[in-house]
Amino acid sequence: MIDVVGLGPGAGGGRTADAQAALAVADVLVGYTAYIALIRTEYPDKPVFDTAMRGERARCEEALRLSRAGKRVALVCSGDAQVYGMAALLLELSQETDDIRVVPGVTAALSAAALLGAPLSGDFAAISLSDLMTPWEMIERRLHAAAQGDFVIALYNPMSRKRTDQLRRACEILLQYRSADTVCGWARMIGREGEQARTLTLAELREAQVDMFTTVIIGNSSTRLRFGRMLTPRGYAL
């Protein structure tokens, strides 16, 4: 059996009880090296198969091989295994006889929003700015659509060492629909050492320098700051 486990934002406190239980009963842990490191001290005696970034297929194939050999496997991801995670690839590579359970986790949009206040109280969209698997033209179409719909937007993978321009380009698209003083925020290293969070305007966000460990939240037309925290009112009569 394979449990595809979302570890949440980082520290064990952001992990669901079902995720914790799946890790505890696993015979083998499989995952990206950096994510295995988050849980290694908790399970020092469990065998591990880990690979560097872009080793996703190898991890899924090894998890399937181990499971078919009778091992209980935890294939781990950060956040939630379905949201830019490993669950889809594993299911694509699986056979009908494979026993697979997807264990939900706390995705970065939720943990970032919690640090920033309450920006996701209504409809919102999650968009990754990584063009490794999605053409940039499609990402731009999704940004235009989300902006036109006045969605609060959670941006995943906003910038990396090689992708330094996508966040600025995304902000320029959004500035076609939203004012420069639209309330935004970012959070990085959520639940880990070095955790940070900051609120800023859309104009300021366009010039911001962030990294791949950062999640960005862009408010809609009703999002505002209240006592320094992002708030998108739900619409209750006060």
Side-chain angles (χ1 to χ4, degrees):
M1 179 176 182
I2 304 174
D3 290 315
V4 197
V5 181
L7 297 177
R15 201 178 302 158
T16 68
D18 283 349
Q20 193 70 44
L23 295 173
V25 300
D27 299 314
V28 186
L29 305 175
V30 177
Y32 170 44
T33 302
Y35 300 150
I36 290 292
L38 293 174
I39 58 174
R40 197 71 189 98
T41 57
E42 297 176 58
Y43 306 101
D45 298 325
K46 289 185 186 289
V48 165
F49 177 84
D50 62 325
T51 71
M53 194 172 291
R54 301 196 185 182
E56 292 86 355
R57 186 183 181 100
R59 296 197 292 272
C60 287
E61 289 174 342
E62 181 65 6
L64 288 165
R65 187 192 71 78
L66 289 166
S67 177
R68 292 165 187 168
K71 300 294 185 181
R72 179 79 178 252
V73 181
L75 176 61
V76 303
C77 318
S78 67
D80 180 276
Q82 301 176 78
V83 183
Y84 310 115
M86 300 292 290
L89 178 57
L90 182 70
L91 290 174
E92 283 186 275
L93 295 172
S94 67
Q95 300 174 1
E96 187 175 1
T97 53
D98 290 315
D99 190 1
I100 296 170
R101 181 178 69 132
V102 180
V103 181
V106 180
T107 187
L110 301 182
S111 53
L115 281 177
L116 292 165
L120 303 183
S121 59
D123 297 330
F124 68 93
I127 301 174
S128 171
L129 296 189
S130 172
D131 57 0
L132 289 175
M133 287 180 282
T134 303
W136 180 253
E137 294 75 16
M138 176 61 74
I139 295 171
E140 286 189 335
R141 286 175 56 191
R142 291 170 177 171
L143 288 165
H144 280 286
Q148 287 176 321
D150 199 28
F151 286 91
V152 173
I153 302 171
L155 295 180
Y156 286 66
N157 306 307
M159 191 178 292
S160 70
R161 284 176 292 183
K162 294 183 178 179
R163 296 182 298 100
T164 60
D165 201 38
Q166 271 93 327
L167 180 59
R168 181 188 61 80
R169 292 164 68 185
C171 289
E172 288 176 352
I173 290 172
L174 297 174
L175 283 165
Q176 298 175 35
Y177 306 92
R178 301 188 184 180
S179 67
D181 61 358
T182 297
V183 176
C184 303
W186 58 255
R188 71 178 300 274
M189 298 298 288
I190 304 165
R192 309 179 201 180
E193 184 178 355
E195 179 181 271
Q196 297 174 287
R198 181 193 167 191
T199 59
L200 67 175
T201 67
L202 183 54
E204 291 170 332
L205 181 63
R206 179 177 52 186
E207 310 302 327
Q209 295 298 308
V210 296
D211 58 24
M212 64 180 293
F213 300 106
T214 305
T215 304
V216 174
I217 307 289
I218 298 171
N220 66 11
S221 60
S222 66
T223 304
R224 53 192 171 90
L225 282 179
R226 180 169 173 80
F227 309 131
R229 309 185 77 182
M230 292 183 73
L231 168 64
T232 304
R234 185 72 180 90
Y236 296 105
L238 299 178

